[in-house]
Amino acid sequence: MRRTPTYGNIVMKYLLYFCIAILISFGICLNAEEGININILSNTNSENVNNFYKNDGKPFKINEFDVSNKEEYLKKFYSVWDDDKINENKDSIFYIVPSLKNAITYNKELENLKKTPPNKKAKNYAKIEKQYRLKINSLENKIKNLLGMGENLMPNTLDEFLEILDNMNLDSFLTNPQIGIIINATSVRAVPTNKPRYKSKDDFPFDRWQISFIFEGTPIVISHFSKDKKYAHIQGPFVYGWVDSRSIAFVSNSMKRKILDFESYKIPNKDFVPIFYKNQWILDARIGQIFPYNKRHDKIITFYRDIDNYAQIREVDFDQRFFSDFPMPFSAEKMSLLIHTMLGQKYGWGGLLGNRDCSSFTRDSFAQFGIFLPRNSAAQAKFKGKFIDISKMTEEKKEEYIVENAIPFGSIIWLKGHIMLYIGHININGHKRAVVVHNSWGVNPIINNKRENIRLGGVYITTLHIGGSFTSNTPIKNSLLSRIEGITNIYDIESKKDIDLSSLSILYAEV
């Protein structure tokens, strides 16, 4: 029989510990007969856990640490509107161009090569003909790899590449840059098209032309437009790329001054908070998104585009329950609440379909506290030079170091191509096992010399031993733990208190 806590308002306040509580109670195993343990510790389908307590019945929390810097965050956020901050390095910004051009160049080489086959009367013809075939095969493979697959899981074509290159309108880059703002959340692309490029037919969701996802209200510089005017190339606070032209508006000098004079901001404290204007939905507020706030009118500010394509201010009502002042003081409690609202969300490579990947998950989470992280996971690990390299340690020493030195909910753990948030540890068979929350497509441990494909596909709380059993001596290679390069403590907390997740109990309430 379920027990209903008598703590009243405390129950609702500590609903945020939903995510951690579940990890104590649930484990999901795949191929258990083979000893492959996925070590997922969260079950986001459970709806009846709504409180989380220490064994003494008191809510668990650590002190708040107001170490954020609002001015520093806003300075970085609006830095793209400074003329001297515009990136003029065409080669680095349009990094995708060589791969497009190479496919065309290799094709020309292939056509010329086919026009000049070896002479059958030549001395050593068999050897020459073999080398000739090898060159043809090599060029064909290079072209195939560069073209990749389209949405129909058939190879993209050279004509499509030629069209994309021409439409990029590179000669117009920065000939007339204009400041602007995002008015509709949108994808940021490496090319001016929404068509995908996968490496192979089995490469979904890794569209190599998808870069990121950018929220409404983000300041940008528009370097130029594609020839068909359907896409604008933008430089944002954390990303460069092509966006749908309908998602942007120009910003006049007077509007720029007005925006930069905003002193107060609000942030949503849960994900996907619907915002309405005159009973019409206009956007979903997302974790990591900041909104200027008019204290006098008690309204948040959004933007729309007028008939001249310039940004105008729109003040809208909002539900006070779902917003907080920006930035929030950091605490494990508050970060846990944010995680709870994102648990189980689907993985989105580069923000595909408006979903997050590993680095946007960490970036958006810390943005709530005024921490401006880069978009790339490797760059995030270098935050303010705090990265600690533990790559040379044994797996056992790595985990010991993480548990002893990482800040629960305040440290990120980096391995090449992936980043995770450390949230505490759990005692299993007398060993302290680090617990992380991360947004991952999947992991591929090698167990008994067989590469396993363990699909996560979203935000989960796990150990670092996904694919391994804590009671088995079966050798495992390529585990998350083995690949860890180091940790970065976002916060310097002198009296660090680790969270032993296994020391906590769960109370249930009717829902």
Side-chain angles (χ1 to χ4, degrees), residues 140-327:
E140 288 177 340
N141 287 331
K142 286 180 179 179
I143 295 168
K144 179 181 177 181
N145 290 335
L146 287 169
L147 290 176
M149 296 287 177
E151 67 269 33
N152 59 352
L153 300 185
M154 298 287 285
N156 289 312
T157 67
L158 289 165
D159 286 342
E160 289 172 319
F161 273 35
L162 285 166
E163 183 179 342
I164 287 171
L165 274 170
D166 181 61
N167 198 34
M168 290 177 85
N169 197 20
L170 295 179
D171 290 339
S172 296
F173 176 65
L174 290 181
T175 56
N176 183 31
Q178 296 172 275
I179 67 171
I181 199 164
I182 299 294
I183 58 168
N184 294 308
T186 188
S187 289
V188 183
R189 307 280 295 167
V191 290
T193 178
N194 280 328
K195 299 290 185 179
R197 178 195 172 275
Y198 304 110
K199 283 187 176 182
S200 69
K201 64 180 181 180
D202 300 317
D203 198 33
F204 181 86
F206 302 104
D207 174 5
R208 308 298 164 162
W209 287 343
Q210 175 73 19
I211 299 177
S212 192
F213 191 79
I214 194 166
F215 296 141
E216 297 95 339
T218 304
I220 57 171
V221 167
I222 304 155
S223 66
H224 71 293
F225 289 86
S226 59
K227 280 188 176 181
D228 62 12
K229 306 298 183 185
K230 294 180 181 179
Y231 291 86
H233 192 273
I234 60 108
Q235 297 189 22
F238 60 88
V239 69
Y240 308 142
W242 296 92
V243 299
D244 190 312
S245 295
R246 295 168 294 186
S247 65
I248 66 170
F250 301 124
V251 171
S252 65
N253 288 331
S254 60
M255 179 59 71
K256 174 184 175 181
R257 289 192 294 270
K258 188 177 294 186
I259 293 173
L260 293 178
D261 281 343
F262 291 137
E263 295 182 354
S264 300
Y265 286 80
K266 291 285 185 179
I267 46 174
N269 51 36
K270 61 174 289 187
D271 215 16
F272 292 104
V273 179
I275 302 296
F276 300 89
Y277 181 70
K278 294 184 177 180
N279 293 321
Q280 182 177 353
W281 174 86
I282 56 173
L283 62 91
D284 283 331
R286 304 289 305 274
I287 286 174
Q289 184 176 14
I290 64 174
F291 292 87
Y293 172 57
N294 186 326
K295 284 186 177 181
R296 182 179 178 183
H297 298 162
D298 192 24
K299 294 179 184 291
I300 59 172
I301 293 169
T302 64
F303 301 90
Y304 69 96
R305 185 169 63 183
D306 64 20
I307 59 174
D308 295 317
N309 296 324
Y310 277 85
Q312 300 296 333
I313 283 174
R314 176 173 52 199
E315 294 187 350
V316 298
D317 295 318
F318 64 103
D319 193 327
Q320 300 275 1
R321 297 174 300 168
F322 301 135
F323 283 82
S324 302
D325 290 333
F326 171 80

Side-chain angles (χ1 to χ4, degrees), residues 20 39 305 477:
I20 312 173
N39 284 320
R305 185 169 63 183
K477 299 178 181 179

Side-chain angles (χ1 to χ4, degrees), residues 303-507:
F303 301 90
Y304 69 96
R305 185 169 63 183
D306 64 20
I307 59 174
D308 295 317
N309 296 324
Y310 277 85
Q312 300 296 333
I313 283 174
R314 176 173 52 199
E315 294 187 350
V316 298
D317 295 318
F318 64 103
D319 193 327
Q320 300 275 1
R321 297 174 300 168
F322 301 135
F323 283 82
S324 302
D325 290 333
F326 171 80
M328 292 190 293
F330 171 78
S331 72
E333 171 192 350
K334 287 185 172 66
M335 182 65 91
S336 179
L337 172 59
L338 300 178
I339 292 168
H340 165 236
T341 72
M342 293 186 282
L343 267 182
Q345 288 184 359
K346 294 181 180 179
Y347 177 87
W349 164 264
L352 189 66
L353 301 177
N355 296 318
R356 294 180 175 91
D357 56 18
C358 64
S359 56
S360 59
F361 171 72
T362 50
R363 186 183 190 282
D364 290 346
S365 297
F366 280 103
Q368 302 287 108
F369 306 100
I371 300 296
F372 193 96
L373 289 179
R375 177 65 178 85
N376 177 272
S377 63
Q380 289 182 2
K382 298 175 183 177
F383 178 74
K384 293 189 175 181
K386 296 182 179 182
F387 179 72
I388 305 297
D389 189 336
I390 60 173
S391 60
K392 304 302 181 184
M393 294 183 183
T394 64
E395 292 185 23
E396 182 179 0
K397 291 296 182 182
K398 280 183 182 180
E399 191 157 31
E400 287 179 3
Y401 187 90
I402 290 169
V403 170
E404 292 300 319
N405 295 278
I407 308 298
F409 296 93
S411 295
I412 49 180
I413 301 175
W414 180 69
L415 50 150
K416 291 180 180 178
H418 191 52
I419 200 152
M420 305 171 286
L421 174 66
Y422 174 75
I423 67 173
H425 74 269
I426 185 169
N427 285 300
I428 300 177
N429 298 330
H431 296 279
K432 292 181 179 180
R433 301 299 185 185
V435 178
V436 295
V437 59
H438 51 138
N439 198 339
S440 172
W441 179 244
V443 294
N444 304 106
I446 299 173
I447 304 173
N448 289 328
N449 296 319
K450 178 184 177 183
R451 185 181 181 88
E452 302 290 343
N453 182 6
I454 298 177
R455 181 68 49 80
L456 297 179
V459 182
Y460 284 93
I461 297 173
T462 75
T463 71
L464 300 175
H465 298 266
I466 297 178
S469 171
F470 294 115
T471 59
S472 171
N473 292 322
T474 302
I476 299 173
K477 299 178 181 179
N478 201 46
S479 67
L480 282 177
L481 183 58
S482 69
R483 295 166 52 208
I484 287 174
E485 297 286 317
I487 67 171
T488 303
N489 290 344
I490 302 298
Y491 295 96
D492 293 322
I493 302 175
E494 294 180 0
S495 56
K496 183 188 91 72
K497 183 175 182 180
D498 195 14
I499 298 178
D500 179 359
L501 302 175
S502 59
S503 68
L504 307 178
S505 60
I506 306 168
L507 293 179

